[in-house]
Amino acid sequence: MTIEADSSTLVGRNLLGSRSGTALGENWVRSTCIICLNRCGILAHVAEDGGVDKILGDPDNPHNYGKTCAKGDSGMEGLRVPDRITQPLRRTNPEKGVGVDPGWEPISWEDALSVVAGRLREIRKENPLRLMLATFDAFQFRGAHLASWVNGYGLPGYQTWSAQIFCGNNVHGILYMNQNAFEQVPDAIYTNYILLFGSQFGSVVHYDTMAAARDLSGRRDQLKVVAVDPVCSAAASRADEWVPIRPGTDAALLLGMVDQLINELEIYDEPFLKRFTNGPYLVGPDGRYVREQGSVKPLVWDVEAGEARPFDAVDPSSVALRGTYEVEGAAAKTAFDTLAEHVRTYSPVYVEEATSVPADTVRRLAREFGEAARIGATIEIDGVELPYRPASVAWYRGLSAHKHSMLAGMSIILLPTLIGAIDVPGGSLGDPYGMLGKAPGRQMIWEESDEGMIKRSFIGGGRVGGMYPPREVRPPDTPEMFELLPVGPYGAIFYLLTSEKEDVYKPPPFPEMLIQYHSNLVKTSGPADVMERFMRRIPFVVSITRRFEETTEFADIVFPDLHHLERLVPFTYSHYSAGEAPIAVYGSKPAVAAPFRGPVEEEPYVDVMQVLLELAKRAGFAGDYYQAMNRIGGLTGDHALDPEGDYTYVEIVDRQLRCHLGDDHDLAWFLEDGLWTAEKTVEEKYPRMFRTPRAHVYFEFMLQAGEDLRRVTGEMGIPWETDDYQSLPDFKPCPSFRRESPYDLFITNMKMPNQALSHTHRNPLLTGLSARHNDLRTVWINPVTAAERDIVDEERVVIESFEGRRQSAIARVTNLVHPEVLATQGCGGGWGSASNSDEVNFNALLAIDEEHIDFLSGALDCCLSGRVLKMNGDPA
Amino acid sequence: MTRWAMVIDTARCVGCQACTVACKTENETPGDVWYAPVVEYEMGVFPDARMEFLPMLCNQCEDAPCIKACPTSALSRRPDGIVMYDQDSCCGSRACMNACPYGALHITFGVEGEALDGGGRTESTVPDRGSARRHQRGTIQKCTFCAHRIDYGLENGLVPGVDIEATPACVVTCPAECRIFGDLEDDESPVSKYMAEHAPAEVLRPDAETGAHVFYVGGAG
């Protein structure tokens, strides 16, 4: 394999991003903010002393149009800090634990790489599944590199840990199923009504944050935003209406709205449902589809022919959406009617009882949402007439981080589906790129199952599982128990549950080795005692980090990591820049050089993948990595990597760029310019009308998945919850719903605009802001609740979970919180040098047990039964 | 004549504090000195409660009480309306701080020339931030509408309020575009046009009658 002269000459360069070429004059480097996953385009200003003293949004980048948030503005923090790790370290104290001094001593790169590569080689020979790679830094083309690295090693995927417990558990699979997308956002330019469920879309916490802030703020008089949330967040404050809701009861409200829309208001998009959903599919008394013999295709009722025929043999105009018909002697009801009858239970009065949202509000929200959808209206986009459905929803952790929350996810996707507001102007828009990096030709592929439904497509080795079609159920390969989550996206929480209860769940062997970076799992995934027990099970831990974090404390070898202003990673994870917004392809470029060497002496250290690549070479699986990279990273033709070849990270980056953007867009172009934009076609903006696979309003596949699971876990002799494998969702309360004395309140946490989705707790600018605005030491208590307990504003209190887990906090008595809720902010606290110990550490209160884990999605319940105590321990 | 002014549309503000931080990094204010805070306050009683956001900064008053109060003439008004400060002339009496109805003057006793992350950044490049980063302990400092950016822009044929290099940092960064800047004497400037379209604009503390040149639309304040 020859190496192009262009690429090899680049290796000797400093690889810094060009410092000119903007209207702002000299010394501004175009790069990407990675503090949160929005990945805004930035310009970093390099001061004469070589530091970065100012960050601006890149005005040429249409994704964030020259804007940054408080986090982005402060992104230079951490470049030069006294506790920065600058060389590999080795542990000398074999004892591991919270607060135990590892006894670090410096070790050379050569020795550190050899030790780690030796371990990797041994484990790979025995059982590669006993390696775990943990990171949340997978959002650029990095995702493809990582997936290729672990695939090449012999693992199905990497672990994002806390993100697999508290993040998109009931977002991604739900969206793969109905929108062929990993994420979604409301069409902020055309929508007239946005319903937020536990999401802060429109403030700077969610996706497309900059554009959402601009578009929603600029269209205040044209649109209504309703925020359903136990706390009045910044987004709820900016909304037209805040609807306080009891934590964990979203499904009840959603199903109540579905009942109103179908059964009371009769507002639904009938042509859409017939053509683009399984609403007309006939369902038998057993809840399964009625199928054609032989082909096993689901049947629909053909009104003109007066008989049941396969779904793909009947023109949508002749399909019955409603009714019960006799098919081969048995009653067969349309899936839509089955749904309609199912949701009758969720009367406004019932919903009020469950959620505390007044019955009249339930009726009104349903009516407003349905009327806003303007069913039947059309709009012309680029000369093409499309449905105009300007009503949308957004949801995230607030809905998802609960027991039974997959049922809540199934409930919320019904709303936009019913009104036909999926990937059409004004509705909910899916991200077409998945999570392996946005570049031309990298869009999700629309595949259709034999049943005519949208099939989860993989553009490479992304591990996040979809809901449909369910994956094969079989005894698990790892303690993640992923094979027992046939419709779930991921299951990191089961590492903790099975670690705590090994005798009950008989998990496969625990990891022999953990490589961890950008994922401080010890602090962010569970209580310290649980995490400590888990980490002690792992014989060898490698931490790649900039500062000493809680997880680093358990490491055997530490490699220094780079700041985002020092790294070179092409392409960004998203963001869709939904709807009308153009495509922007850009990436991270080093504004400054790392102040220390990396794994390869003659190469500038520009990315953590250099460490992983060097390890792959030394452990003997570089060729497998290259092959996986061709498949997952889409490197084809002349740009494909030769498994027998030997490449540097920089050469692979160069190939990626040229492969996806054309040979004139090579690394030299990237360093000099690095921003590629394109207008989208109408089909790319609003794909729904151009695609045939259908979305679900009836989740028939869940029945078989549940049955398979009962069989396999029965054979394994382990308990496993399968009750929620239902073909239609229900509201099922979280354990804290009981509110039993003395633990009669819900303890929750929330995201803060200047701290969320990131590692910001030791950023002096952002902690300075928090000290003034959202003191992370506080717990929010409603004035009525506080008065009943004789608690006054600014009083030091203790919050205690039903398990007796405690955190001290300062009471903030505020009307911005539901009276039954004790709301904490973010997840502060901790004990590493990158933490602030006096903040409330919400995770210290979490309960890792069956009662709090959603066995379908791997979500962990984040509304805990709890109470607030006076500092003297008296029940308040 | 030119009269720089800002209009803030509180109905657009999402409370993200980007302006607050952009200002701090632009002017490299020390420690707990923040020229452009977004004040948050609660309104209403549960469940009809909400947070309101009020972006603030020096109001660059026509009849500035701080200038009148200063015993050493350390504060002065430029012809374009910007109230400047001279730390070399300041005696640290804090009379201006008492006089200002907007809390826009700051004094710090932190480390001289303190930088954000310990780096010794002292020299600026383009756009020239000039004196903005020389902060002396025990003397006054304040927002100047990023006068250094305005002056840089004017010297380079740029239009403050339109060209980002010539516009205050808080305006440049705001994702919700709720801060609008420009020349009030120019009917075609962004600030004049926005105020005309969104009349009536108000000032904070009108009772103080200081001739404030930071205007608010959108209902809060």
Side-chain angles (χ1 to χ4, degrees), chain A residues 362-652:
Chain A
V362 179
R363 293 188 193 95
R364 178 172 55 78
L365 292 178
R367 190 180 67 248
E368 286 177 2
F369 184 76
E371 288 175 354
R374 298 173 61 167
I375 289 167
T378 59
I379 188 171
E380 194 177 298
I381 305 284
D382 303 343
V384 178
E385 189 173 279
L386 293 173
Y388 179 44
R389 298 287 174 274
S392 52
V393 294
W395 75 99
Y396 230 92
R397 180 179 181 275
L399 176 143
S400 181
H402 294 287
K403 181 75 176 178
H404 306 300
S405 51
M406 185 162 270
L407 298 175
M410 289 155 66
S411 302
I412 196 163
I413 199 64
L414 287 172
L415 278 187
T417 309
L418 277 184
I419 60 164
I422 283 179
D423 295 318
V424 299
S428 296
L429 305 181
D431 163 25
Y433 286 98
M435 62 180 304
L436 291 185
K438 184 163 72 174
R442 301 286 292 165
Q443 288 95 334
M444 302 272 288
I445 298 156
W446 284 71
E447 287 188 88
E448 186 167 321
S449 74
D450 295 341
E451 297 170 341
M453 309 304 291
I454 298 169
K455 196 174 165 184
R456 159 75 164 108
S457 71
F458 287 82
I459 53 162
R463 172 66 188 273
V464 180
M467 278 185 79
Y468 178 87
R471 296 178 303 277
E472 182 198 353
V473 179
R474 59 181 171 84
D477 291 334
T478 71
E480 185 188 0
M481 313 298 261
F482 189 66
E483 294 73 15
L484 301 182
L485 305 172
V487 301
Y490 28 57
I493 192 64
F494 290 102
Y495 276 110
L496 301 183
L497 180 70
T498 59
S499 172
E500 297 287 294
K501 298 185 177 176
E502 197 166 8
D503 52 333
V504 177
Y505 292 100
K506 305 169 190 167
F510 277 79
E512 278 281 326
M513 178 173 176
L514 165 68
I515 300 178
Q516 164 271 339
Y517 76 100
H518 274 249
S519 169
N520 186 13
L521 59 138
V522 170
K523 181 187 164 197
T524 59
S525 298
D529 55 325
V530 176
M531 296 310 298
E532 181 183 58
R533 285 194 289 274
F534 175 69
M535 291 298 288
R536 280 178 167 165
R537 303 187 73 116
I538 306 176
F540 193 74
V541 176
V542 178
S543 181
I544 311 175
T545 183
R546 282 191 288 130
R547 302 171 87 165
F548 292 99
E549 297 177 334
E550 286 77 0
T551 310
T552 316
E553 202 169 56
F554 290 87
D556 295 277
I557 295 283
V558 176
F559 291 115
D561 193 9
L562 297 167
H563 188 278
H564 69 272
L565 295 171
E566 295 163 345
R567 71 185 203 161
L568 177 73
V569 187
F571 308 129
T572 53
Y573 160 68
S574 300
H575 237 270
Y576 8 98
S577 303
E580 293 278 11
I583 302 170
V585 180
Y586 51 100
S588 294
K589 294 193 288 188
V592 293
F596 45 84
R597 63 156 285 192
V600 186
E601 190 159 19
E602 58 272 22
E603 246 177 45
Y605 187 23
V606 291
D607 198 80
V608 72
M609 282 309 302
Q610 289 168 288
V611 179
L612 294 176
L613 177 59
E614 188 59 25
L615 290 171
K617 290 177 181 178
R618 289 169 184 243
F621 66 99
D624 298 299
Y625 165 54
Y626 299 150
Q627 273 185 315
M629 194 63 203
N630 291 340
R631 188 176 76 251
I632 296 167
L635 295 179
T636 54
D638 292 346
H639 305 108
L641 303 173
D642 180 350
E644 304 298 320
D646 180 22
Y647 303 92
T648 66
Y649 170 72
V650 173
E651 285 164 358
I652 297 172

Side-chain angles (χ1 to χ4, degrees), chain A residues 739 742 744-745 781-793 795 797 813 818-822 866-870 874-876, chain B residues 46:
Chain A
R739 281 160 288 153
D744 55 351
L745 297 172
I781 307 174
N782 184 283
V784 173
T785 314
E788 285 169 1
R789 288 156 178 78
D790 192 28
I791 285 173
V792 296
D793 198 34
E795 179 176 342
V797 293
V813 178
H818 193 287
E820 296 166 8
V821 172
L822 300 169
R867 61 174 170 171
V868 55
L869 302 169
K870 295 278 213 186
D874 286 348
Chain B
F46 180 91

